[in-house]
Amino acid sequence: MENGELYTIAARHLDNGPNTLITDLDSCSTLELAVGDRIFVSNKCIKVENKLNISIRQTEPWQCLLPAYPADTALLKQNIFEAKLFIQEHGQAGGMKKSITTDNIIQTEFARMLEERSRNLLGQLSLVRWESAAQQAVSLIGLGPGLTPSGDDYLTGLFTVFNMPDSPLWPYRSFCMDVVLHASKLTNQISCITMKKAAAGQVREKIVQFMQAVIHSTSEETKDRLAAVLSIGSSSGTDIALGLIHGLELHLN
């Protein structure tokens, strides 16, 4: 960690993302990496204690480029409609997507608060009430289950949409960073850096690919890309996807 940044060393199956080095390893689970392991960098090689050596001589940088908002939104409207149905059928309940079968009182209360606060946030954004919207957004930080709480994941999706070039919300994208300024005191470091990167328009490749598909591609390809987003974490992918969809609907409205 340097200057508040976190970096990820990942196995080959993970998609590209901000501050992420994809290796040719099948898994990192057998390396016995631990908190506090010292990291050395020299001669274009990263060394983690005596457990891992990674040559970065032939690495290629990946750049996150979000698609621009389209002038013609007909296809986008249709794909959003299909995406919402897909999330309803295939999304993971327990976070932003309410579970209709749970008897868990805590989970039920989390779901109620997430729904209420996200609805209030969208309402204030639609009325261009930035101060009130920021208060509602901050109230979502750290809310919900998971390593990255559901409220954080939802904001990650929403912040992504703010950063689409040529979109109605593009001129107001500083709103995202204003909200993130409160995150370090309200959630964990992993979730905080994820939101911080999204606030600057930097997200995982799976999210970028879905955004490209929902704007330019067929319904089937949009669903395929959405399924990849839903596969992130447990309920994280569903929470992110709902943030993306609700943000896109804000653009359309």
Side-chain angles (χ1 to χ4, degrees), residues 28-49:
C28 297
S29 61
T30 61
L31 299 176
E32 299 183 355
L33 301 177
V35 175
D37 282 353
R38 292 175 298 173
I39 299 175
F40 306 91
V41 181
S42 64
N43 297 323
K44 294 187 177 182
C45 182
I46 298 175
K47 181 177 181 180
V48 183
E49 295 288 356

Side-chain angles (χ1 to χ4, degrees), residues 125-141:
L125 287 173
S126 66
L127 295 171
V128 201
R129 295 175 178 169
W130 297 111
E131 185 175 348
S132 298
Q135 292 173 359
Q136 294 297 328
V138 170
S139 75
L140 282 167
I141 297 176

Side-chain angles (χ1 to χ4, degrees), residues 83-91 97 226 230 238 241-242 245:
K84 290 173 72 174
L85 294 177
F86 191 87
I87 294 172
Q88 184 177 341
E89 183 176 357
H90 299 284
K97 182 185 175 185
L226 177 55
L230 296 182
T238 299
L242 287 170
I245 293 299

Side-chain angles (χ1 to χ4, degrees), residues 24-209:
D24 60 0
L25 297 169
D26 292 323
S27 173
C28 297
S29 61
T30 61
L31 299 176
E32 299 183 355
L33 301 177
V35 175
D37 282 353
R38 292 175 298 173
I39 299 175
F40 306 91
V41 181
S42 64
N43 297 323
K44 294 187 177 182
C45 182
I46 298 175
K47 181 177 181 180
V48 183
E49 295 288 356
N50 61 347
K51 304 174 182 179
L52 179 64
N53 285 290
I54 304 171
S55 172
I56 56 176
R57 290 184 177 85
Q58 297 181 339
T59 54
E60 297 181 3
W62 176 77
Q63 186 177 5
C64 174
L65 293 174
L66 291 171
Y69 191 74
D72 185 346
T73 59
L75 181 60
L76 175 61
K77 290 177 181 177
Q78 180 60 35
N79 281 339
I80 287 176
F81 176 78
E82 297 287 347
K84 290 173 72 174
L85 294 177
F86 191 87
I87 294 172
Q88 184 177 341
E89 183 176 357
H90 299 284
Q92 178 65 43
M96 292 299 303
K97 182 185 175 185
K98 187 185 299 184
S99 174
I100 59 175
T101 59
T102 183
D103 293 324
N104 187 309
I105 296 175
I106 295 177
Q107 191 178 77
T108 300
E109 181 61 12
F110 270 142
R112 184 196 66 78
M113 295 170 69
L114 287 164
E115 180 181 22
E116 179 183 279
R117 295 182 187 185
S118 60
R119 182 177 64 248
N120 291 341
L121 167 59
L122 295 173
Q124 294 304 305
L125 287 173
S126 66
L127 295 171
V128 201
R129 295 175 178 169
W130 297 111
E131 185 175 348
S132 298
Q135 292 173 359
Q136 294 297 328
V138 170
S139 75
L140 282 167
I141 297 176
L143 182 61
L147 176 61
T148 54
S150 295
D152 300 2
D153 291 327
Y154 180 79
L155 290 174
T156 294
L158 188 64
F159 291 166
T160 302
V161 177
F162 265 85
N163 281 277
M164 293 176 64
D166 301 329
S167 68
L169 291 173
W170 166 261
Y172 310 105
R173 61 194 181 280
S174 61
F175 165 84
C176 306
M177 201 58 74
D178 292 340
V179 173
V180 169
L181 290 175
H182 301 273
S184 62
K185 298 179 180 179
L186 298 173
T187 192
N188 62 72
Q189 289 181 331
I190 294 175
S191 199
C192 183
I193 194 65
T194 301
M195 284 190 290
K196 179 181 176 182
K197 290 299 181 182
Q202 298 295 307
V203 292
R204 289 176 61 168
E205 189 173 19
K206 287 180 180 179
I207 298 173
V208 177
Q209 289 172 341

